[in-house]
Amino acid sequence: MRLTLEFGGGLELLCDSEKIHKVNVDLPNGAAAADDFTMKHLLSWVRTNLIKERPEMFMKGDTVRPGVLVLVNDCDWELSGQLDTTIEEKDVIVFISTLHGG
Amino acid sequence: MEASEAKSKRAGGSRLCCICNKRRPVLKRPKTLQQICRECFYEVFEEEIHQVIVQNRLFKSGERVAIGASGGKDSTVLAYVLSELNRRHNYGLDLFLLSIDEGITGYRDDSLETVKRNEVQYGLPLQIVSYKDLYGWTMDDIVKMIGLKNNCTFCGVFRRQALDRGATLLKVDKLVTGHNADDIAETVLLNILRGDIARLSRCTSITTGEDGPIPRCKPFKYTYEKEIVMYAYFKKLDYFSTECIYSPNAYRGFAREFIKDLERLRPRAILDIIKSGEDFRIATTTKMPEQGTCERCGYISSQKWCKACVLLEGLNRGLPKMGIGRPRGSVNGDNKHTKAGSTAKSIESKQCGSLDF
């Protein structure tokens, strides 16, 4: 599944200082169809494949660290069920950290 | 059919914005749990801040106001929103950007570039004041001397004064900073954790320092950090976002972590903590420090010497622990001792800034 992932608010430093990543994600074996692919799976994939250092800055347990905002197609993931949000081909997912000086 | 239903459900299409009932919601407000669209978000965000400004009578027409600008998310959004509201509602303010250069390589030099861009983008004149000029020390120098603990104590104390001195240079009547609701809730907790009753009683005031050189206020007092970031994101505002390299060792980090966990469970907690802070009453039997002025530089102080003078003295004498922590007896126990011996000698240290209050 082809997706665009963006990292902001300092998170890019965890991914080789690249803000935008165009990726091709393999569906996990457990997912019977593309409909089953959720943010939960994606986060796990990101942690394994894109986060090169200090994973605790990005995730806490199964979900993102508190203070990291997630937008799916420019829409707050709190509206679409957070971890249960289904992800589709060509989606744009943005992760913004708020944990820095203002 | 299932797929398209699922898609529209996912995008929140089955629900519409709570306010306009026309557009697709893009954000769930932590303050109210409402689901709102982009345009309504801009409106409520800006209108709420306008109401905070009006109801708390933060400004008077004709005032010169300096915005403490670091190039970070809060101060950038503050500069943008304040200039917009100033125009829209005719506050009649003369706005300036005031930036402090603490001399932290790889952090401050980058964020200052952002403020310089903000100066152009928002058309607000910029003044930069540096620790090097004011105190003769950059934060990098200070950390080299004192190590990685207590850095924020030095920086915070010096910055507060630096802002006042910058404000005096600009001849402004007032200072505004971008402290948001999350920051203030953290501060309330921090002061409780440390038993700092004096600060606890002051830290939720929206305007402080009215009896000092320059009053300062916090229009974002009730504004959630999440909304500030989302506003900046949707409006594509240019801001700098890296953590200060010395901050991982700061005690505030614990309060922040806790507040963020709390917010996840019950977003209203942040505003409720602020309310608790506002409604605290100190027992009349509690001894509170009295406010006077620093004998060395004239800045407001509850001790004989203000904290900045104490810290600076420590740095210049190679005594990095001076002014840090709480010695037995009075808070300025150290200070009395060194002052007695220093009157006859000339001190190599610079006077605390070149301006006396």
Side-chain angles (χ1 to χ4, degrees), chain A:
Chain A
M1 190 182 287
R2 271 174 299 244
L3 303 167
T4 305
L5 305 176
E6 289 183 26
F7 295 86
L11 287 176
E12 62 273 23
L13 296 176
L14 307 178
C15 322
D16 292 328
S17 298
E18 279 291 329
K19 282 198 167 163
I20 305 183
H21 296 253
K22 290 202 187 287
V23 299
N24 202 344
V25 179
D26 295 323
L27 296 178
N29 294 338
D35 276 355
D36 277 354
F37 191 67
T38 62
M39 274 304 300
K40 189 163 183 199
H41 301 122
L42 181 62
L43 283 183
S44 179
W45 187 92
V46 170
R47 179 174 31 199
T48 312
N49 295 285
L50 288 182
I51 305 294
K52 299 292 191 270
E53 56 178 286
R54 294 178 290 156
E56 69 280 4
M57 295 277 136
F58 178 63
M59 284 181 71
K60 189 165 168 177
D62 270 346
T63 186
V64 292
R65 184 180 174 202
V68 174
L69 304 180
V70 183
L71 293 154
V72 179
N73 299 324
D74 267 4
C75 195
D76 186 0
W77 78 332
E78 304 243 353
L79 296 177
S80 48
Q82 290 194 41
L83 287 174
D84 296 327
T85 309
T86 47
I87 302 297
E88 295 172 19
E89 189 80 31
K90 298 213 216 116
D91 275 354
V92 178
I93 296 111
V94 181
F95 300 99
I96 312 176
S97 172
T98 62
L99 302 162
H100 51 82

Side-chain angles (χ1 to χ4, degrees), chain B residues 101-120:
Chain B
D101 181 3
E102 304 97 338
I104 302 175
T105 327
Y107 174 67
R108 192 48 81 205
D109 35 6
D110 289 338
S111 75
L112 282 179
E113 288 310 305
T114 308
V115 197
K116 288 181 192 152
R117 285 200 297 276
N118 289 160
E119 178 183 21
V120 175

Side-chain angles (χ1 to χ4, degrees), chain B residues 66-333:
Chain B
I67 301 171
S70 62
K73 59 189 181 354
D74 303 312
S75 47
T76 295
V77 174
L78 181 61
Y80 179 88
V81 173
L82 204 48
S83 22
E84 175 56 32
L85 293 179
N86 190 29
R87 248 190 311 270
R88 188 186 297 171
H89 297 283
N90 294 316
Y91 293 162
L93 303 175
D94 233 339
L95 296 173
F96 300 86
L97 293 174
L98 173 58
S99 218
I100 307 299
D101 181 3
E102 304 97 338
I104 302 175
T105 327
Y107 174 67
R108 192 48 81 205
D109 35 6
D110 289 338
S111 75
L112 282 179
E113 288 310 305
T114 308
V115 197
K116 288 181 192 152
R117 285 200 297 276
N118 289 160
E119 178 183 21
V120 175
Q121 288 156 352
Y122 307 145
L124 302 172
L126 166 65
Q127 170 84 44
I128 300 180
V129 170
S130 78
Y131 281 10
K132 188 75 188 172
D133 288 338
L134 280 182
Y135 308 115
W137 291 77
T138 62
M139 270 315 292
D140 286 344
D141 295 333
I142 292 173
V143 175
K144 277 197 201 96
M145 168 171 280
I146 68 173
L148 290 170
K149 277 195 100 175
N150 301 313
N151 306 148
C152 299
T153 300
F154 282 81
C155 197
V157 169
F158 287 164
R159 184 179 312 108
R160 175 159 290 147
Q161 276 213 15
L163 280 173
D164 283 342
R165 294 183 194 272
T168 306
L169 280 173
L170 280 171
K171 300 202 207 332
V172 295
D173 305 299
K174 204 161 272 175
L175 205 51
V176 295
T177 53
H179 291 92
N180 58 48
D182 300 51
D183 293 329
I184 296 183
E186 279 166 28
T187 304
V188 172
L189 279 186
L190 218 46
N191 288 329
I192 291 177
L193 292 173
R194 287 171 158 166
D196 194 331
I197 306 301
R199 286 201 170 85
L200 192 56
S201 61
R202 293 191 302 258
C203 68
T204 46
S205 303
I206 197 171
T207 304
T208 50
E210 278 146 317
D211 38 9
I214 311 273
R216 52 180 74 191
C217 61
K218 306 176 170 75
F220 282 172
K221 179 183 173 190
Y222 302 105
T223 312
Y224 275 68
E225 189 167 62
K226 171 179 173 180
E227 296 197 356
I228 291 174
V229 174
M230 294 296 268
Y231 187 86
Y233 174 77
F234 287 133
K235 288 246 173 189
K236 301 201 193 323
L237 299 180
D238 178 12
Y239 69 87
F240 181 75
S241 56
T242 306
E243 274 203 281
C244 172
I245 53 183
Y246 302 124
S247 72
N249 307 304
Y251 191 52
R252 181 175 282 265
F254 296 104
R256 173 168 300 164
E257 187 87 16
F258 182 60
I259 293 278
K260 285 291 141 187
D261 283 334
L262 261 182
E263 186 189 11
R264 186 163 269 194
L265 294 172
R266 191 173 161 270
R268 236 191 105 118
I270 291 178
L271 287 183
D272 290 341
I273 290 175
I274 296 176
K275 179 115 198 12
S276 299
E278 285 167 347
D279 290 345
F280 276 142
R281 290 294 173 265
I282 313 291
T284 47
T285 48
T286 306
K287 188 169 189 309
M288 297 283 272
E290 274 170 36
Q291 194 188 288
T293 48
C294 173
E295 284 179 8
R296 198 173 128 176
C297 74
Y299 195 68
I300 59 169
S301 171
S302 60
Q303 311 295 327
K304 281 215 168 86
W305 278 19
C306 72
K307 194 70 163 181
C309 283
V310 173
L311 294 177
L312 209 45
E313 182 76 349
L315 286 175
N316 289 319
R317 289 169 165 271
L319 296 168
K321 288 287 179 197
M322 205 161 114
I324 301 290
R326 255 181 266 180
R328 244 165 260 138
S330 78
V331 177
N332 253 14

